[in-house]
Every structure is written in C-alpha cells, then in structure tokens.
Amino acid sequence: MFHCEVIDNSKEKITIEKAQKFIESQKCGASLYFLGTVRDHNNDKTVTGITYDAHDALVKKSFKEIYEDAINKLKLEHPAAFVEHAKGYVPLGGISVIIAVACKHRAQVYEFSRFIIEEIKKKTPIWKKEHYQGEETTWLEGKPIDIKKA
Amino acid sequence: MKIKLELFGVCREFSEQDYLDFNFESDIKIKDLRKEVEGFVNKNFPENKNFLEMVKKSAFSSQANEIVDDDFKLDKNQTISIIPPIGGG
C-alpha cells in the first residue's frame, strides 16, 4: 500500500492525521512517523524559512521507485508507506516531508523509514532555497543526480 | 526545432519565467543543449561561475519524465527539464 504526493504549501499542509488514516492496518504491529521540519539555523546563519522547488512528475516517480526498491531490498511484510513532500514556502518549524510507514514487525519500520529518507536525499528532484534574516536567500548546494542509477 | 527548457532549483534564477526557449536548425543531442545553456549563462551571467558549474553538473529530463544522458537525441519540438544538483528532504 503506497501513497505519495507533492503538496503545494500555499494551498494545503502536510498532516500526520492523513498519514495515520492511510497506513493503519490490523495486519501491522508497528508504525513509524518521520517528519522533516524547517530548523532555525544552517551554516551559521539564522534561517526564517525554506522555499522548496520540485519537479512534481519526477518526484512522484522517484518516490514510487524508492518504495518498490525498499520492498525488494528489505523483504518487508505487509508494508504500507505514505510519503508527502512540501513545495513552496515553508516557515520555521513547518513540515517539509512526512514518511509514515507500517509493517508487521518493529525492526522493519525503522529500516523502511530510514531507507526512504536516505534515498530521497540521493534521488528525488527537490531543491531548497533558504531564507535568512534580512531577506537574504540562497539555493542550497545539492548533489548531482547519478544518471546511471536514475 | 524549438526546445522549451523548464527551469528548476537554482536554474530558476536564469529567467523571470519558468523556462528558456532555444531554437536549433537541426537535430541535436542533450550535450548540445547543455552547451547552449552554458552559452546563455556565460552571456547573461558572466560573473556568476556558480551558475555555469550548476549547468555542468545538471541532469536533464525528457518530456516523458525520464532522466536522459548526454547522447539522448532531440529531433522534434519538445519540452526538456534541467535538473540541477538535488537536495530535498
């Protein structure tokens, strides 16, 4: 069971409740919620918010591939995952990403959740522009996509 | 042949629009498009070496939303996306 979406933060917000409703199942004995949030500092600067940019179609494709990779590599039992990433401006403390997973046993959900976020960092076309005090902004330096693995 | 290049991430700084338009006389490959974008950046942002570096490190995505390599052929009007180094999450 899998759900993924890119959420335009100017129109709606990522919520835990929606994720909870999606992954709950009597077949699963464990569930885990990972939230990425905007923190107030980076590189010795005071951060006031982050604008996320995303190639929506590629992002959703990437999320689906990551989910399928996780199932194959981690041999998950009764997996469910709910992945949403924000795009647009997210203020300090706001949720940028949610990864909610459920499996039969507890050890699997930790592996599952960690696998998804680490793969997102490597493979998913999302970009961050940090906003600092005094209206300065910077696009954060990212990592080139590995074309052979894409 | 017209190629509409959709801009993402730091490459959005290249234009006030979300895209750049390029015209070519004949079929090209992604590596030729990359050279055109590098030329655009050199002409319009000569002081900004980071922009040029980002183009060199960028991947490109086809109209079918596939990441394509430098030898991918472009032989008709289409939309291509530039995918600069990523960093979400």
Side-chain angles (χ1 to χ4, degrees), chain A residues 36 52-58 61 85 96-97 117 120-129 139-147 150, chain B residues 6-13 34 50 54 57-62 64-70 81-89:
Chain A
Y52 290 87
D53 190 17
H55 186 304
D56 292 18
L58 280 178
K61 186 179 172 190
H85 202 296
S96 59
V97 59
I117 188 63
I120 287 174
K121 293 276 186 188
K122 286 186 275 188
K123 295 179 176 172
T124 305
I126 294 171
W127 301 270
K128 294 179 191 177
K129 182 162 76 173
W139 286 99
L140 294 187
E141 192 175 332
K143 291 180 181 171
I145 280 192
D146 186 341
I147 295 174
Chain B
E6 288 186 318
L7 304 172
F8 292 94
V10 66
C11 295
R12 285 194 186 275
E13 306 295 331
R34 188 191 301 277
N50 182 52
M54 288 299 105
K57 289 180 176 177
S58 289
F60 290 83
S61 167
S62 71
N65 294 318
E66 300 281 350
I67 300 293
V68 292
D69 66 20
D70 268 8
S81 301
I82 187 165
I83 309 293
I86 58 172

Side-chain angles (χ1 to χ4, degrees), chain A residues 147, chain B residues 1-3 5 22-38 55 58-62 68-76 78 80-81:
Chain A
I147 295 174
Chain B
M1 178 176 63
K2 289 182 180 177
I3 300 294
L5 183 71
F22 293 96
N23 286 297
F24 297 94
E25 297 282 316
S26 57
D27 297 355
I28 60 160
K29 292 181 175 177
I30 286 292
K31 58 185 158 193
D32 302 313
L33 177 60
R34 188 191 301 277
K35 278 182 191 166
E36 283 296 310
V37 183
E38 288 174 9
V55 175
S58 289
F60 290 83
S61 167
S62 71
V68 292
D69 66 20
D70 268 8
D71 288 324
F72 184 81
K73 201 171 172 182
L74 305 173
D75 56 7
K76 60 185 176 192
Q78 59 196 286
I80 296 291
S81 301

Side-chain angles (χ1 to χ4, degrees), chain A residues 85-137:
Chain A
H85 202 296
K87 79 170 183 180
Y89 181 76
V90 181
L92 203 59
I95 299 172
S96 59
V97 59
I98 184 168
I99 299 168
V101 295
C103 289
K104 190 173 179 182
H105 301 297
R106 70 181 182 282
Q108 291 183 332
V109 293
Y110 286 109
E111 280 187 281
F112 194 12
S113 176
R114 182 71 189 263
F115 182 91
I116 292 172
I117 188 63
E118 297 302 335
E119 291 297 294
I120 287 174
K121 293 276 186 188
K122 286 186 275 188
K123 295 179 176 172
T124 305
I126 294 171
W127 301 270
K128 294 179 191 177
K129 182 162 76 173
E130 280 188 340
H131 299 252
Y132 309 110
Q133 276 183 336
E135 298 190 359
E136 183 193 351
T137 61

